């Protein structure tokens, strides 16, 4: 089974590819396109195809100025447009919970094996490292390797 996990974004999209439950590749896709259809095209060219996709589901948070409905719709459209079908959607509240990103990312690293850490290390560099780490976190949760807080399942 080949799984693609995605942390969607219009300008930057993190992805991780899993083969039989192990991280095989990871990366970031970026685009400067402003038109949604062109952004989806650019990301589709950069992201591998899989048997199924685990995708972060966007949720509107009333009262949060960063949570704008039209922006969330665009981000979700990109994620779905790039995904391999079938798709399983996970809101952040389900796969990550209220844990701060830094803490959650540290927990992700603790769950990965040596080869997986090397793959992550190559992919998660620079300004968009958090998108790759989130894509890996979504994949780990989908595969049952982590719990909601990012800790290793017993």
């Amino acid at each position: 089974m080949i799984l693609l996990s995605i942390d969607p974004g219009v300008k930057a999209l993190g992805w991780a590819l899993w083969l039989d439950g192990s991280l095989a590749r990871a990366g970031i896709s970026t685009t400067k396109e402003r038109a949604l259809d062109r952004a989806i095209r650019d990301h589709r060219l950069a992201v591998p195809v899989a048997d199924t996709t685990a995708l972060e589901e966007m949720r509107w948070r009333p009262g949060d100025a960063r949570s704008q409905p039209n922006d969330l719709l665009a981000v979700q459209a990109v994620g779905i447009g790039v995904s391999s079908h079938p798709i399983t959607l996970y809101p952040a509240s389900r796969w990550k919970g209220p844990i701060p990103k830094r803490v959650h990312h540290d927990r992700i690293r603790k769950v990965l094996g040596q080869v997986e850490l090397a793959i992550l290390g190559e992919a998660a560099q620079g300004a968009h490292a958090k998108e790759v780490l989130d894509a890996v976190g979504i994949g780990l949760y989908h595969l049952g390797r982590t719990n909601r807080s990012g800790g290793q399942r017993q």
Side-chain angles (χ1 to χ4, degrees):
M1 171 67 78
I2 302 171
L3 169 70
L4 175 65
S5 54
I6 297 175
D7 179 39
V10 175
K11 298 291 183 188
L13 178 146
W15 59 268
L17 190 70
W18 306 83
L19 299 176
D20 298 323
S22 295
L23 183 62
R25 290 175 53 205
I28 189 76
S29 171
T30 60
T31 184
K32 294 180 181 178
E33 289 290 349
R34 292 178 185 249
L36 197 53
D37 59 334
R38 292 183 185 139
I40 291 170
R41 179 205 59 212
D42 286 357
H43 291 308
R44 287 188 79 175
L45 292 171
V47 175
V49 176
D51 298 324
T52 187
T53 301
L55 174 66
E56 183 171 18
E57 178 181 351
M58 300 295 100
R59 293 276 174 99
W60 179 55
R61 297 178 308 275
D64 183 347
R66 298 172 299 156
S67 178
Q68 297 298 315
N70 286 340
D71 293 343
L72 296 173
L73 289 171
V75 169
Q76 197 72 81
V78 169
I80 291 170
V82 171
S83 293
S84 300
H85 298 275
I87 301 169
T88 303
L89 296 169
Y90 294 104
S93 61
R94 183 166 168 203
W95 72 269
K96 182 185 152 307
I99 308 299
K101 271 193 187 286
R102 183 186 55 76
V103 172
H104 196 262
H105 290 165
D106 288 344
R107 291 177 181 175
I108 288 169
R109 288 183 181 94
K110 289 178 183 173
V111 172
L112 298 174
Q114 292 294 337
V115 172
E116 292 174 319
L117 280 170
I119 292 166
L120 177 64
E122 286 184 29
Q125 298 180 18
H128 299 294
K130 65 184 180 347
E131 283 86 359
V132 176
L133 280 156
D134 283 352
V136 170
I138 293 163
L140 287 169
Y141 183 83
H142 179 83
L143 293 165
R145 291 177 56 185
T146 57
N147 59 27
R148 179 173 171 226
S149 65
Q152 189 165 5
R153 286 214 172 130
Q154 302 299 332

